[in-house]
Amino acid sequence: MNKPVTLEALERAMRNDELVLFYQPKVCLLSGDVIGAEALVRWAHGDASVLSPDEFLPMVESNGLLHDLTLQLLDQLVEAIVGLRNCTVVKHEAPIDTLPPVSFNSYPNLSLSINVAPNDLASRSISNHIAALLQAGTIQAAELQIEITESAVMSNVDLVYDDLVRIKDMGVKILMDDFGTGYSSLDRLSQLPFDALKLDQGMVKRMGTSLQNLDVVRSAISMARELGMTSVAEGIESESVYNFLIAHGCEEGQGYFLGRPMSLADFKGFVGSEHDFEGSQIGRVHQACLNLLRFRKTLVDAAFCSRVGAGVALQSVADPGLQAEVARTRLGLWYFGIGQRLASHAVFHDIEIPLRQVHASGLKFLEQLERHQSVAVLDQQLAEIDQQIDRLISLLHSLERSILACKPNGQPINGRL
Ligand code: C2E
Ligand code: MG
Ligand code: MG
C-alpha cells in the first residue's frame, strides 16, 4: 500500500523531478495508425512505486503548485517531442509505388497532448512559454496539443477564453476533455475555439449497456462533425467498442485496448513496432461515405459563407477534408492506408481515380470561390462534384457488398451467411 502523501514529500518530489509524464497512445480510427499520445503525470517514487494523478494532484492543486508543475511537465513534454522525432513510426501505408506523390516527411510524425487547468491559462505564462518554443523553432505547432476538461472550461469561460484563442491562433490544437460531463450547449461549443471533442470515458464505457447510451455516443460524434471538430474517444477497452466507434465515424481513440499509459522509453518502442488495430473494414467503408458527405458540406458551407460575406471560404481550406494532398484527406488516409488491405476486392481499385477527381474538383471549386466566379460557374462545378460523389458512394456500397460476400480470410462465402 502507498504511503500517505505529505506536502513536504511532494515539494521534494517536484524538486527532484520525480513527477514524470507517461504516454498513452492515440490511434487514428480512419487509418489504424498511432498518431501520438496523451501525456499523463505519474509520481515515480524512489522505492519503485508509481502514484496516479488522483493520489497527489488534489494536493498539488490545493497548495497552489499546479501551475509550476504544468510548466515543469511542459518542458518534459518538449523533450519527449524532440526525442520522438527520430523514431520511425510504423504506418499502414500503401507500398511506395502505389502512393500518390506526397512528402510525408514534411509533417510531424506524432502529436503529444498535455492536460492543463484553468489557472494555467489565466496567468498567460503557459501561452507565453508555448509562443517562445514555437518562435525559437524548438517544436512545431502540430506536435503539441492542449487538453482542458469541459467542466473546467464551462465554469471559467471568462478566465480561459482569451488564452485558448491565443494558443489556437498559434496553430496548436485544443481538445475539450471529458466531453459529456460539463453540459455545454451546441451554441456555447460553437463559440469556443476547440478543435476536438474527447468523449468522456464513462460515456464510451456505458455505450454497450443500452440503446439510449449508444445514441448518446452517436450524437456526440455527430455533434463534433457538425461543428467541424474532430471526435476522439477515450476509455476504449474492447475490440467491439473500437469497431462501433469506427462504424459511427469517430476519428481518433485511446484506451487500454489500444495501449495503456507507459514510460517514454516504452512509448518509443511502441511507435516503432507493428500494430494491428485493423478494426472493422465495413465500418471504415461506411465512414468513407460519411466523409464524402462531410466534404461536400464543407464546400457548400464555404460557398454560403462567401456569399453572405463571412469570409470563411479560405479558412475552410484548412479542413482536413480539403487538404491539398489527396492522401492526407480523411478519405485518402483510409484509401491509401489501411484500406489497401481490401485490394483483393476488384471494386476497390475503381475508387482511386474518382477519389482523386473529386478531391481536385473540390479544390478547384474553392479556387473559383476565391476568384469570385459567377453563380453559374460555381453551380456547374458543384453539379460535377455531385456526380463524382454519387459515383464514389455507389462504388463504396459495392465494396461493402463485396466484403459482406467474403469470409474474414477473403474467401467467397458459398451458400448461407
Ligand atoms: P484525463 O485527462 O481524462 O485522462 C484519461 C484518464 O483515463 C487517465 O487516467 C488514463 O490513464 C485513463 N484511461 C485511459 N484509457 C483508459 C481505459 O481504457 N480504461 C480506464 N479505466 N481508464 C483509462 P490518469 O492518468 O489516472 O489521469 C486522471 C486524470 O488526471 C486525467 O484525466 C487528467 O484530468 C488528470 N491529469 C493527468 N495528468 C495530468 C497533468 O499532467 N496535468 C493536469 N492538470 N491533469 C492531469
Ligand atoms: Mg486528458
Ligand atoms: Mg479525459
Side-chain angles (χ1 to χ4, degrees):
M1 196 172 132
N2 292 319
K3 284 177 253 164
V5 173
T6 64
L7 181 57
E8 198 197 346
L10 187 62
E11 285 177 324
R12 196 168 347 110
M14 278 177 71
R15 279 195 305 276
N16 296 343
D17 293 332
E18 285 179 20
L19 300 191
V20 293
L21 288 173
F22 270 40
Y23 298 86
Q24 183 176 33
K26 281 188 192 166
V27 171
C28 170
L29 304 195
L30 292 160
S31 64
D33 290 332
V34 179
I35 47 169
E38 174 173 12
L40 296 156
V41 68
R42 298 285 182 269
W43 182 345
H45 267 286
D47 61 8
S49 61
V50 176
L51 300 194
S52 60
D54 56 347
E55 295 174 89
F56 61 91
L57 268 190
M59 183 177 269
V60 174
E61 208 159 3
S62 61
N63 286 284
L65 297 170
L66 187 60
H67 188 61
D68 287 346
L69 177 64
T70 307
L71 282 171
Q72 245 185 45
L73 295 178
L74 192 55
D75 286 340
Q76 263 186 50
L77 190 84
V78 169
E79 269 181 45
I81 288 173
V82 174
L84 281 162
R85 278 198 197 128
N86 301 327
C87 285
T88 310
V89 182
V90 178
K91 288 187 183 264
H92 293 106
E93 277 166 9
I96 211 72
D97 56 337
T98 63
L99 263 180
V102 293
S103 51
F104 280 95
N105 290 338
S106 60
Y107 291 86
N109 258 348
L110 299 161
S111 188
L112 301 186
S113 65
I114 188 159
N115 292 280
V116 299
N119 285 335
D120 289 326
L121 297 177
S123 72
R124 284 211 137 201
S125 52
I126 298 288
S127 64
N128 286 340
H129 199 55
I130 295 174
L133 288 164
L134 296 176
Q135 240 158 28
T138 317
I139 56 168
Q140 290 179 41
E143 292 175 306
L144 174 69
Q145 297 181 350
I146 300 290
E147 298 194 10
I148 183 160
T149 61
E150 180 185 27
S151 52
V153 173
M154 289 308 165
S155 43
N156 297 283
V157 174
D158 294 342
L159 204 66
V160 300
Y161 182 80
D162 287 349
D163 233 30
L164 286 180
V165 171
R166 189 169 175 232
I167 294 173
K168 187 182 163 95
D169 286 348
M170 294 177 206
V172 172
K173 289 208 164 114
I174 307 180
L175 283 57
M176 178 178 272
D177 206 350
D178 301 346
F179 174 70
T181 55
Y183 310 105
S184 24
S185 66
L186 196 59
D187 180 44
R188 202 86 187 276
L189 267 179
S190 68
Q191 290 164 23
L192 291 167
F194 283 94
D195 296 282
L197 297 182
K198 277 192 92 173
L199 314 194
D200 178 58
Q201 51 177 292
M203 185 198 275
V204 173
K205 279 184 198 144
R206 280 191 298 276
M207 199 172 86
T209 58
S210 73
L211 275 177
Q212 207 179 359
N213 289 339
L214 224 129
D215 276 339
V216 171
V217 173
R218 252 201 293 251
S219 17
I221 296 170
S222 337
M223 200 168 185
R225 189 178 298 127
E226 280 301 306
L227 290 164
M229 296 180 190
T230 304
S231 47
V232 187
E234 53 182 22
I236 305 177
E237 290 188 349
S238 67
E239 190 168 10
S240 58
V241 167
Y242 181 66
N243 280 331
F244 175 87
L245 291 164
I246 291 175
H248 289 277
C250 183
E251 290 167 296
E252 295 175 12
Q254 72 185 80
Y256 293 169
F257 171 69
L258 303 165
R260 286 182 178 253
M262 57 189 92
S263 68
L264 180 59
D266 288 346
F267 182 63
K268 281 183 181 168
F270 186 92
V271 296
S273 46
E274 279 282 352
H275 298 282
D276 206 349
F277 302 130
E278 175 165 348
S280 150
Q281 288 287 8
I282 288 272
R284 287 204 173 89
V285 175
H286 178 62
Q287 265 211 42
C289 293
L290 292 178
N291 285 335
L292 269 171
L293 298 177
R294 178 177 175 155
F295 170 80
R296 186 185 186 281
K297 182 170 182 300
T298 312
L299 297 178
V300 172
D301 281 351
F304 182 75
C305 291
S306 89
R307 205 165 76 185
V308 296
V312 186
L314 257 179
Q315 209 179 311
S316 67
V317 180
D319 181 281
L322 292 175
Q323 294 270 352
E325 292 161 345
V326 67
R328 295 238 146 235
T329 60
R330 287 191 166 84
L331 214 63
L333 277 175
W334 162 75
Y335 186 80
F336 296 106
I338 208 164
Q340 293 288 325
R341 294 188 180 179
L342 297 171
S344 59
H345 299 265
V347 62
F348 180 79
H349 303 278
D350 298 339
I351 291 172
E352 181 169 343
I353 290 172
L355 170 60
R356 288 175 183 279
Q357 281 169 343
V358 77
H359 176 253
S361 303
L363 291 179
K364 185 169 166 198
F365 181 76
L366 283 176
E367 246 174 63
Q368 290 174 334
L369 263 183
E370 279 156 29
R371 283 193 274 115
H372 303 287
Q373 292 280 8
S374 67
V375 172
V377 170
L378 291 171
D379 184 64
Q380 196 186 358
Q381 182 66 12
L382 198 57
E384 190 182 313
I385 292 172
D386 283 347
Q387 276 179 10
Q388 291 165 334
I389 290 180
D390 287 349
R391 164 105 184 100
L392 265 173
I393 289 190
S394 138
L395 287 168
L396 288 164
H397 286 168
S398 304
L399 177 62
E400 215 167 44
R401 288 200 305 275
S402 174
I403 299 170
L404 277 175
C406 288
K407 293 182 193 156
N409 63 8
Q411 295 298 312
I413 296 172
N414 297 314
R416 290 166 186 273
L417 281 178

